[in-house]
Amino acid sequence: MNEALHSIAYKDSQGFITGHFTAMAGPCEVIIETSDHALAEQVTQAVANEAWRIESTFSRYRTDNIIYYINNADGKPVEVDAETARLLDFADLCFEVSDGMFDITSGVLGKIWKFDGSSNVPALKEINKLLPKIGWNKVSWANPKLQMPAGMALDFGGIGKEYAVDSAATLARAITDCPVLINFGGDIVATAPPVSREHWLIGIEPLALGQNKIPPKVALKHGGVATSGDSKRFLQYKGKVLSHVLNPKTGWPVTDAPASVTVLANNCTQAGMLSTLAMLQGQGAEEFLESQQVEHWIQRR
């Protein structure tokens, strides 16, 4: 284990102890309403260990985990463990309810789309070359066996962080009744409202290029919050900002997608699924979330 990458820093302020660490390519924090440093460290260490465990288990960048074995099976069936099976079942559900727009085989598009704020859009022939390698409907999944055509690849990036937050929150609840807020790069869970104030106040990141001066804030008592948007990852093309949310059927960014969608739900996995599905709806994002009857915030340019 790399000690520099797996270190935790603590800060004590106004009755809250916050643990900071890095996981899943971004900053993470655990805020515990307590003055008990030993308890705060126990909770934070458990949360961080779970984040690092899930990252190493499901990262597509490693060569020693189940994702690597699936993506390099060359068309042969692979038997998966129960945790991987639960994620595959969830991905299958997302694919069905989104009419194929939420597709964990579309990660291959990341090879050619680099959302770095530039105007570098891949050539049409590059996109068309990858489209045949996309399509969850081409994968045979019957728990516990998965068989995928050679050349295709799975990527849990669209659901992994939200799943990790919820899993870490379950561990935190088992350790303490103290209110805990877990934030993995904007994917958030609160185990309970703070005792010293009415709610946790969550800031939503400003839009790319600073179009909104004062982004909205979310009052969170318990449950999960997730945001899909382009505050950091976008392209500028023909006078427009292109979102990093890609349409797996065309290989291009979703047309008329909101700049940002934030959803409050019972847990972070549900919030993340709904915010992503709303982004994939493009112009219909508002109508979709109204139909889901969840609290939400949509920012458009």
Side-chain angles (χ1 to χ4, degrees), residues 30-32 39 42-44 46-47 162-182 188-193 200 220-225 265-269:
V30 185
I31 307 173
I32 305 112
L39 175 65
Q42 184 188 0
V43 171
T44 305
V47 168
E162 294 90 342
Y163 168 72
V165 174
D166 284 334
S167 187
T170 299
L171 296 178
R173 287 187 190 99
I175 295 169
T176 183
D177 292 330
C178 291
V180 178
L181 183 86
I182 300 172
I188 296 166
V189 163
T191 64
W200 303 95
L220 177 64
K221 291 189 174 181
H222 51 77
V225 172
N266 291 330
N267 55 59
C268 197
T269 304

Side-chain angles (χ1 to χ4, degrees), residues 36-84:
D36 184 336
H37 279 263
L39 175 65
E41 288 182 20
Q42 184 188 0
V43 171
T44 305
Q45 191 68 62
V47 168
N49 286 346
E50 185 67 351
W52 294 326
R53 181 192 72 81
I54 290 172
E55 180 178 20
S56 64
T57 304
F58 298 113
S59 169
R60 73 179 192 274
Y61 300 109
R62 294 178 66 106
T63 58
D64 59 353
N65 63 14
I66 187 64
I67 300 302
Y68 179 83
Y69 297 137
I70 290 170
N71 290 346
N72 291 274
D74 204 28
K76 300 184 188 72
V78 176
E79 189 165 324
V80 304
D81 59 276
E83 185 176 34
T84 304

